[in-house]
Amino acid sequence: MPFFETRLKNSDNTYRELFVRYPNNPILTAKDWPYAVNTVFNPSATIFNNQTLLLARVEDRRGFSHFTKAVSDDGVTNWKIDKFPTLEPSPDFPEESWGIEDPRITWIDELESWAVVYTSYSRSGPTVSLALTKDFVSFEKMGSIMPPEDKDAALFPRRFQGKWMLIHRPIGAKLTSEEEVGPGAHIWLSCSSDLKYWGDHQILLKARRGAWWDANKIGLCCPPLETPDGWLILYHGVRQTASGCIYRLGLALLDGEDPTKVLRRSDEWIFGPEESYEREGDVRDVVFPCGWVHDKASGTVRIYYGAADSRICLATGTLSDLLEYIKSCPGPSAASTY
Ligand code: BMA
């Protein structure tokens, strides 16, 4: 096998990090919450009223999750957290009976609303649900839009040739042993003309196989980010090891006008659990962002991520570095891609 040379190289032969951790991580923990909770993690993020707004997944001591918002002027410190849950599972939506998890927020100009796409934990497995809000106070729940098992979903902010597009991850791979992985859990894309009935289902990114960091199971992290070079995708890959799974992050780039076309995909992970707050917790070795904020004025991209399913952390990069890196990566047909 030819020698593989990293595209993430510093001059001293260490790996170059595209996202730099905030030195005072974690930024939010259960101790900051105005009411008793087990953990806070996997937040989505957006800018609302000139503040950074996080919709955090909050888990109680039954093991059920709901969402609570936290807002901050600088997106780093002085978070103001709602005194009570902002969005809870509702008995009117039986698919939410074991809680709601991992929200992804997209501003939809056409609807003058934010779409919150989240995982509903139904008795038949995880499903994808949609709610709309104008103020992050009241929410219009639209119910389940994909049957189980399905999760890790987010909407694009606008239609393409009249169709809405949703990225999601149907099918959970059993990662118990190499023989049992089945067909793999891939990232899919589906289309709809009304946000309710979905079709044109197609695989967007395939989980790789074998030794790859993203073998057998991948899923979208944050909603797609529009850039001059196309839609930037941050996704997680789940590597099964003898001591459990490792959740790491990679990048892909989709065509700006036709997001069903993958232009580039990173062959290395760009971020993974390294610090003790990412390695130890309720689920060890997990970094799991559900939101990122691109500050156009400074060019920075802030990812907000759950660390070890136990706390909320922040890391910052620049859009230009992310794009420079992903544009140096192979196209989807390159042998090195799988
Ligand atoms: C995934 C999701 C995430 C979680 C991760 C690690 O399947 O359930 O919410 O952070 O597993 O436990």
Side-chain angles (χ1 to χ4, degrees):
M1 191 196 289
F3 174 65
F4 174 78
E5 199 163 13
T6 180
R7 294 182 174 82
L8 294 166
K9 199 167 152 183
N10 284 325
S11 51
D12 63 354
N13 286 336
T14 56
Y15 283 106
R16 172 177 164 227
E17 298 299 343
L18 296 178
F19 285 106
V20 175
R21 289 167 178 81
Y22 176 58
N24 293 334
N25 271 340
I27 55 167
L28 287 167
T29 71
K31 287 199 181 109
D32 301 308
W33 241 243
Y35 53 97
V37 302
N38 175 47
T39 43
V40 298
F41 56 117
N42 300 6
S44 193
T46 193
I47 298 294
F48 175 67
N49 285 345
N50 293 320
Q51 290 185 303
T52 300
L53 179 149
L54 302 185
L55 203 53
R57 172 175 168 191
V58 179
E59 192 189 84
D60 63 30
R61 278 222 190 167
R62 294 172 302 170
F64 296 6
S65 294
H66 61 266
F67 306 146
T68 303
K69 74 170 185 285
V71 295
S72 153
D73 288 336
D74 63 4
V76 184
T77 54
N78 290 322
W79 294 93
K80 291 189 185 56
I81 305 166
D82 279 1
K83 298 270 180 295
F84 298 99
T86 311
L87 187 64
E88 286 188 280
S90 154
D92 298 336
F93 294 86
E95 68 275 11
E96 300 180 353
S97 57
W98 287 335
I100 54 176
E101 305 181 350
D102 303 349
R104 274 89 172 181
I105 300 171
T106 303
W107 167 252
I108 312 273
D109 243 350
E110 184 185 322
L111 305 177
E112 295 181 348
S113 297
W114 277 268
V116 183
V117 177
Y118 55 96
T119 305
S120 293
Y121 198 169
S122 85
R123 286 166 190 270
S124 307
T127 84
V128 174
S129 290
L130 168 66
L132 299 177
T133 184
K134 289 186 186 298
D135 55 10
F136 291 95
V137 175
S138 61
F139 293 80
E140 184 191 354
K141 283 190 180 175
M142 315 291 282
S144 172
I145 54 172
M146 289 287 163
E149 288 194 14
D150 209 325
K151 53 165 56 177
D152 298 328
L155 276 170
F156 285 85
R158 57 182 162 85
R159 297 177 192 251
F160 299 87
Q161 300 192 332
K163 297 278 167 74
W164 299 105
M165 285 187 183
L166 181 84
I167 294 182
H168 57 122
R169 210 285 307 287
I171 307 168
K174 288 191 187 66
L175 293 183
T176 46
S177 75
E178 198 50 43
E179 298 78 55
E180 284 183 58
V181 293
H186 311 297
I187 295 180
W188 287 63
L189 184 148
S190 299
C191 303
S192 171
S193 46
D194 59 5
L195 291 173
K196 188 172 172 64
Y197 299 102
W198 293 87
D200 297 329
H201 310 294
Q202 54 205 283
I203 291 183
L204 182 67
L205 289 171
K206 285 191 99 172
R208 286 183 263 217
R209 292 298 196 179
W212 281 97
W213 67 273
D214 55 355
N216 306 317
K217 185 173 178 177
I218 60 174
L220 183 73
C221 293
C222 310
L225 181 67
E226 191 161 23
T227 80
D229 293 303
W231 296 93
L232 191 62
I233 297 293
L234 185 67
Y235 73 96
H236 59 262
V238 187
R239 172 84 191 273
Q240 170 73 16
T241 77
S243 58
C245 292
I246 308 176
Y247 278 72
R248 301 186 179 110
L249 311 181
L251 291 170
L253 189 67
L254 312 180
D255 186 273
E257 289 313 311
D258 179 3
T260 64
K261 282 195 197 131
V262 180
L263 304 178
R264 304 280 168 178
R265 178 172 178 180
S266 61
D267 38 18
E268 301 167 86
W269 73 82
I270 59 148
F271 196 80
E274 283 176 14
E275 298 294 333
S276 57
Y277 53 75
E278 297 157 347
R279 301 217 55 214
E280 288 153 31
D282 277 3
V283 184
R284 51 178 302 119
D285 292 322
V286 179
V287 288
F288 204 100
C290 290
W292 52 5
V293 171
H294 173 217
D295 178 42
K296 287 193 176 133
S298 63
T300 57
V301 176
R302 304 195 300 273
I303 51 169
Y304 294 92
Y305 63 100
D309 281 12
S310 296
R311 45 194 80 85
I312 292 176
C313 294
L314 166 66
T316 303
T318 67
L319 186 63
S320 55
D321 281 355
L322 298 173
L323 288 176
E324 183 196 52
Y325 168 71
I326 191 61
K327 288 196 288 182
S328 75
C329 290
S333 56
S336 62
T337 305
Y338 295 95

